[in-house]
């Protein structure tokens, strides 16, 4: 039972380069999320997808784009990487339901550690 | 607006001692409350959750948490800490009808022998 799988696990980029972080879940969840984690700041929501076909901005969307490719996959793209985007990125999913599913826990991947030089 | 405050950035306890991690939330209605644990190099794992009913909830790994509406708190406790409990702990709140979960900044737990 894989749960939420993120690739790659580690990546080093140069300023200005682009890359896509991949996320896939095998739990048939409706909602998917991208967070970044920085020391002392907890988890900050970048984008989320409440259901297949929809995406919405979170707390810190600038510099990122997302694609909900299908129900399983939700990718995060950095078009022109900046040193301020050095962080650990987590993808999460939740079963979701009509009305949001706020009572449901999120399931997390193991993260992508991204360094931008 | 919803918010979650974890007042302690880090806590150190001796192995075998009891533990209490504090969490205060701000939310207009009865919230959905969660505690997650993150071991180094890993994602977050759910420890326990509170929706309604009994205000003392039991979770995995011997953890429990108590919801106190009057204090807007949801503190995490464990009677006897093991060295393997060293990790970062996050309190979170989910909203009725909402897609988002709001996380606290986390408390890092150190366990000394």
């Amino acid at each position: 039972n894989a749960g939420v799988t993120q690739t790659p696990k580690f990546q080093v980029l140069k300023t200005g380069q682009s890359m896509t972080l991949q996320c896939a879940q095998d739990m048939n969840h409706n909602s998917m999320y991208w967070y970044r984690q920085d020391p002392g700041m907890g988890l900050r929501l970048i984008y989320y997808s409440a259901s297949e076909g929809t995406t919405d901005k979170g707390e810190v969307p600038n510099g990122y784009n997302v694609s909900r490719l299908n129900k399983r996959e939700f990718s995060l793209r950095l078009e022109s990487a900046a040193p301020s985007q050095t962080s650990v990125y987590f993808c999460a999913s939740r079963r979701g339901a009509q009305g949001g599913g706020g009572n449901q826990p999120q399931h997390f991947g193991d993260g992508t550690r991204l360094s931008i030089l | 607006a919803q918010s979650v405050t974890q007042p302690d950035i880090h806590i150190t306890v001796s192995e075998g001692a009891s533990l209490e991690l504090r969490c205060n939330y701000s939310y207009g209605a009865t919230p959905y409350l969660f505690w997650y644990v993150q071991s180094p190099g890993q994602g977050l794992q759910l420890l326990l959750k509170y929706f309604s009913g009994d205000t003392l909830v039991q979770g995995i790994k011997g953890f429990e948490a108590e919801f106190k509406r009057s204090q807007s708190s949801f503190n995490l406790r464990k009677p006897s800490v093991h060295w393997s409990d060293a990790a970062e702990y996050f309190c979170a709140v989910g909203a009725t009808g909402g897609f988002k979960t709001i996380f606290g900044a986390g408390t890092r737990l150190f366990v000394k022998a």
Side-chain angles (χ1 to χ4, degrees):
Chain A
N1 187 4
V4 178
T5 302
Q6 293 184 236
T7 56
K9 295 189 184 304
F10 303 92
Q11 186 71 47
V12 179
L13 293 178
K14 294 180 179 179
T15 297
Q17 288 185 316
S18 62
M19 83 160 295
T20 299
L21 308 185
Q22 306 287 353
C23 175
Q25 51 90 10
D26 63 1
M27 296 172 283
N28 201 35
H29 284 173
N30 291 300
S31 301
M32 297 185 74
Y33 304 80
W34 276 106
Y35 295 92
R36 60 178 290 173
Q37 184 179 32
D38 302 291
M41 304 192 75
L43 291 170
R44 292 185 291 170
L45 182 64
I46 304 171
Y47 271 94
Y48 68 101
S49 172
S51 60
E52 187 179 357
T54 69
T55 61
D56 284 285
K57 295 179 180 179
E59 182 184 356
V60 288
N62 291 344
Y64 305 95
N65 285 300
V66 291
S67 295
R68 183 75 183 265
L69 304 172
N70 48 55
K71 191 171 185 178
R72 289 187 64 247
E73 298 172 286
F74 188 40
S75 63
L76 178 72
R77 182 162 179 83
L78 287 69
E79 291 290 353
S80 178
S84 61
Q85 295 177 304
T86 293
S87 188
V88 182
Y89 291 85
F90 287 98
C91 177
S93 70
R94 186 167 74 180
R95 181 160 50 92
Q98 223 171 3
N103 61 343
Q104 298 160 9
Q106 295 188 6
H107 299 255
F108 286 82
D110 285 337
T112 295
R113 284 142 188 85
L114 181 62
S115 293
I116 299 163
L117 307 177
Chain B
Q2 301 167 66
S3 65
V4 178
T5 302
Q6 293 181 248
D8 304 304
I9 297 173
H10 54 79
I11 283 181
T12 300
V13 299
S14 298
E15 191 169 16
S18 64
L19 170 70
E20 183 170 28
L21 301 182
R22 297 182 291 163
C23 172
N24 294 97
Y25 67 90
S26 173
Y27 184 62
T30 299
Y32 303 122
L33 295 163
F34 308 89
W35 274 100
Y36 291 84
V37 61
Q38 183 183 30
S39 298
Q42 297 187 9
L44 279 68
Q45 178 186 16
L46 180 70
L47 278 177
L48 48 79
K49 57 189 178 185
Y50 171 79
F51 300 155
S52 63
D54 288 343
T55 57
L56 187 64
V57 294
Q58 303 296 322
I60 63 172
K61 305 185 181 185
F63 285 91
E64 65 180 25
E66 185 172 14
F67 171 59
K68 292 186 177 179
R69 184 190 303 275
S70 61
Q71 298 177 18
S72 297
S73 69
F74 188 56
N75 293 350
L76 182 71
R77 302 195 294 245
K78 187 170 185 177
S80 177
V81 169
H82 187 263
W83 65 266
S84 61
D85 293 324
E88 189 153 21
Y89 293 80
F90 293 91
C91 182
V93 60
T96 304
F99 291 99
K100 301 178 189 177
T101 300
I102 306 300
F103 290 86
T107 297
R108 183 166 294 278
L109 173 64
F110 297 95
V111 181
K112 59 182 181 180

